[in-house]
Amino acid sequence: MGKKETEAIIVEVLKTIYDPEIPVNIYDLGLIYEIDMYEEDEVKILMTLTAPNCPMADQILEEVNEKTKSLPQIEDVTVVLTFDPPWDKDMMTEEAKLELGFL
């Protein structure tokens, strides 16, 4: 399986993870900045949270790590949290904006 196919599967997995306070998945919220396949079975996910003091931060990061690592084609996952650039609502997909009433 190629990197693009694996990335697409990872995106689908990330779309199953929700911030418990927001009814939109973390991918559509724009919290995933980068999915970097640096080996065929190793991935680095660069992401942010809606706020630096998010009380669910540990739970969300752990879920990203566990769900991605559970894929049979993934051996190693590195989840990197950044607040540069800081998240804002313009990073959301149109679907997420519609769901949350921003459109």
Side-chain angles (χ1 to χ4, degrees):
M1 181 176 295
K3 286 183 179 182
K4 287 287 178 214
E5 292 89 348
T6 300
E7 258 183 60
I9 292 168
I10 291 170
V11 166
E12 290 308 308
V13 165
L14 295 174
K15 285 184 173 188
T16 69
I17 302 170
Y18 288 77
D19 179 322
E21 299 176 353
I22 305 171
V24 173
N25 69 71
I26 63 170
Y27 190 84
D28 287 339
L29 270 178
L31 300 183
I32 305 300
Y33 287 169
E34 191 177 293
I35 299 171
D36 185 20
M37 301 290 304
Y38 53 95
E39 289 292 333
E40 209 162 288
D41 60 354
E42 296 177 13
V43 64
K44 180 178 91 179
I45 298 173
L46 182 65
M47 65 174 293
T48 193
L49 298 168
T50 54
N53 58 352
C54 174
M56 301 306 293
D58 290 342
Q59 180 184 326
I60 293 170
L61 294 173
E62 189 174 315
E63 195 173 352
V64 169
N65 190 348
E66 287 177 2
K67 284 193 172 182
T68 306
K69 201 175 224 172
S70 73
L71 294 169
Q73 61 272 47
I74 299 298
E75 187 67 33
D76 189 39
V77 179
T78 304
V79 180
V80 178
L81 183 63
T82 184
F83 292 100
D84 183 25
W87 179 87
D88 71 41
K89 67 181 190 309
D90 292 334
M91 296 174 172
M92 293 190 291
T93 63
E94 294 293 315
E95 186 178 66
K97 288 177 184 173
L98 190 62
E99 175 80 26
L100 296 175
F102 289 116
L103 288 180

